[in-house]
Amino acid sequence: MRSFFVILTLLLQTSSLSRALSSSTNVSTATTRSSSSSDSSTAPQCSDLDISKLRSDLASGRVHHHRNFLNEAQVGALLEQAEHLRQSGAFAPSGLSNTQKGKDQYFGEADRTVCPLPWWKDSIAGNHATAGVSGDNTNKESADLRISTSRKLQDLRLLLSKELNRPTMARVDDSIAHECYYSRSTAGATLARHMDERHEETKGRNGWILPSRRSVSWLVYLSDPDWDVSSNGGALRSFPQRSVRTSPGGVETGCHNGNLQVGWLVNDGADSIPVYLDSFHRTVNESGDAEPQCILYIVPSPRDANQVEYITQPWLNEGLQGMSAADFLKVVSESEAKTKNANLFTKQSYARDFQLLEDRPLWDSGGDPAGSVAVDIPPERGSLVVFDSVSVPHEVGLVKEGTRVALAGWFHEATQTFPEGFYDDV
């Protein structure tokens, strides 16, 4: 089965199949562009962002909060368009609370409603003038304000691509499916704890099909003025680790050398250490052939990203007989934490300290992620929040009063590819 997914992944990255599999918010342009090809020469720069703190927050698995990203006039122009879309029936309920339930979910009036941003494709491609077309006969001033917002969002994307060293985020082609939508929540709406992205091996059979993945999650709040969490509710609550062993530009949460994070080593009184899953660990089978297998590893020193330590033996996901990789790791770690005769984990302490990033049974029973602290961010009008899509569990508190609105989305980067030269010199 692994070989099937490897071949399919390679095909998707080199053929027109990627266009058919991209989401509806994908960029419909035939030519790949670099970051310099968009309208960046006239785009307002995000010079007011604290880049050092942003990099530190994302490297450690925290949410970065920046106030006054958009001014009141820009917020008003976006709300004007969002209201027109709502009145025209473009919004639809979307809880997005538990992707493990798949389609077996009901979203009703108490859930938030969402609407894809109509001009997002053109914004990505640098055609910012489309943002001024609302369909509600808005005046030129409102149109110009949305155009300026379009430019600023793309400037943010290019800035994050550069500062976070995620170069494929700057690409503009059909394989990188950046997403953006309006989100609207009224009294009674909430959003349960979830992850925005997860390792391909934890997604089942479809894990390696899409050519891009969510890399950075972001929201710009357009909520009612003077929003107060105590009376209005609706705070964004994240669960970062209390203390982590990471370093911006060195070892960071979310991803290491293309391998996504799946958990933490959590030990009371010590920094939590990110655990990554390498799907293409090169092993030699009994026939003497090279074979890609899964393996967990850590980076012992946050300032030496090239030195890794494997904390498990390699395994084949195809041998799990329908069990997900996440469930497998949870069951085995809990079992081997109780015995010195570990089979998968290289040390009993690693089995004892290992905690999944997304532990649904723990969450469903009311528990918080091990080693974490709860951090609330109010949906302040005009403010921006940014966080790594892989490493941050988060939820939205109950909206008690008022209308909580946001322009939200995900900047994508390319899905990890099969290693070149993997089968050389076996």
Side-chain angles (χ1 to χ4, degrees):
M1 293 297 292
R2 173 65 63 82
S3 60
F4 167 79
F5 290 126
V6 169
I7 294 170
L8 181 57
T9 301
L10 293 173
L11 286 173
L12 284 169
Q13 291 162 353
T14 58
S15 74
S16 60
L17 284 176
S18 63
R19 294 179 175 86
L21 292 170
S22 296
S23 71
S24 61
T25 57
N26 205 358
V27 181
S28 57
T29 177
T31 305
T32 300
R33 304 181 184 205
S34 67
S35 61
S36 61
S37 65
S38 57
D39 191 13
S40 58
S41 61
T42 58
Q45 299 297 308
C46 298
S47 58
D48 55 339
L49 291 179
D50 186 339
I51 299 301
S52 177
K53 187 174 189 308
L54 186 151
R55 292 183 62 194
S56 177
D57 286 341
L58 269 68
S60 60
R62 291 180 175 270
V63 176
H64 180 74
H65 183 205
H66 176 79
R67 291 180 171 86
N68 301 315
F69 179 74
L70 295 183
N71 60 41
E72 180 59 30
Q74 290 170 317
V75 169
L78 292 173
L79 285 172
E80 185 179 75
Q81 181 178 57
E83 179 60 19
H84 169 74
L85 291 167
R86 187 185 71 85
Q87 292 184 7
S88 65
F91 278 76
S94 176
L96 287 179
S97 58
N98 189 347
T99 55
Q100 291 187 351
K101 294 182 179 179
K103 297 181 179 179
D104 187 24
Q105 302 184 78
Y106 171 75
F107 302 127
E109 294 181 359
D111 288 294
R112 67 170 182 175
T113 57
V114 300
C115 172
L117 190 67
W119 39 270
W120 185 240
K121 294 180 183 180
D122 290 309
S123 178
I124 291 287
N127 301 325
H128 300 293
T130 309
V133 180
S134 176
D136 57 351
N137 297 318
T138 51
N139 58 40
K140 185 178 185 302
E141 181 181 1
S142 293
D144 288 344
L145 288 165
R146 283 195 297 273
I147 290 171
S148 68
T149 299
S150 173
R151 290 196 175 104
K152 190 159 190 174
L153 290 174
Q154 300 315 318
D155 183 70
L156 175 66
R157 176 176 61 88
L158 300 180
L159 180 70
L160 292 174
S161 174
K162 176 184 176 182
E163 295 295 337
L164 302 178
N165 192 26
R166 305 184 187 190
T168 60
M169 191 187 299
R171 276 171 36 190
V172 179
D173 65 68
D174 285 356
S175 69
I176 307 296
H178 305 295
E179 304 170 72
C180 184
Y181 62 96
Y182 283 118
S183 173
R184 186 177 186 274
S185 302
T186 54
T190 186
L191 196 60
R193 193 178 309 159
H194 63 283
M195 307 295 294
D196 283 350
E197 184 58 281
R198 55 185 60 81
H199 197 291
E200 292 85 355
E201 294 290 349
T202 67
K203 296 179 180 180
R205 294 176 59 89
N206 296 329
W208 293 97
I209 287 182
L210 295 177
S212 73
R213 68 166 182 86
R214 292 170 176 174
S215 178
V216 172
S217 305
W218 58 271
L219 301 96
V220 180
Y221 290 115
L222 315 172
S223 302
D224 292 345
D226 302 319
W227 191 277
D228 179 71
V229 169
S230 62
S231 57
N232 296 103
L236 172 66
R237 172 168 290 184
S238 63
F239 296 86
Q241 291 293 296
R242 182 174 290 103
S243 177
V244 298
R245 189 188 298 179
T246 57
S247 174
V251 179
E252 303 185 349
T253 65
C255 184
H256 174 264
N257 289 346
N259 304 309
L260 299 193
Q261 183 184 356
V262 294
W264 295 96
L265 292 184
V266 180
N267 191 332
D268 289 343
D271 292 339
S272 296
I273 303 173
V275 178
Y276 310 94
L277 193 164
D278 182 356
S279 297
F280 306 117
H281 180 67
R282 193 170 185 266
T283 60
V284 178
N285 61 26
E286 295 178 355
S287 302
D289 298 323
E291 182 178 55
Q293 295 192 11
C294 294
I295 196 166
L296 296 186
Y297 71 90
I298 61 174
V299 183
S301 172
R303 301 193 182 281
D304 186 1
N306 296 319
Q307 187 68 35
V308 305
E309 178 183 348
Y310 296 111
I311 67 170
T312 66
Q313 305 295 336
W315 79 89
L316 280 171
N317 261 3
E318 293 90 307
L320 301 184
Q321 299 181 339
M323 177 182 284
S324 73
D327 289 342
F328 166 70
L329 291 171
K330 182 175 176 63
V331 169
V332 174
S333 63
E334 291 177 348
S335 173
E336 295 190 356
K338 303 173 184 177
T339 176
K340 294 183 179 180
N341 299 317
N343 293 312
L344 180 68
F345 284 85
T346 59
K347 296 179 182 179
Q348 183 185 22
S349 61
Y350 289 154
R352 182 191 64 233
D353 295 344
F354 178 74
Q355 302 290 332
L356 285 170
L357 269 177
E358 183 177 22
D359 191 339
R360 285 285 174 180
L362 173 67
W363 298 355
D364 291 343
S365 65
D368 290 341
S372 71
V373 291
V375 178
D376 286 351
I377 294 179
E380 295 176 353
R381 191 176 177 97
S383 66
L384 167 74
V385 296
V386 179
F387 55 94
D388 182 82
S389 300
V390 174
S391 61
V392 182
H394 57 285
E395 63 192 41
V396 177
L398 177 71
V399 176
K400 303 174 184 178
E401 184 180 357
T403 303
R404 183 187 192 273
V405 185
L407 187 63
W410 297 275
F411 295 138
H412 279 230
E413 63 178 303
T415 300
Q416 184 183 22
T417 58
F418 192 76
E420 292 184 10
F422 182 87
Y423 293 106
D424 295 347
D425 302 323
V426 178

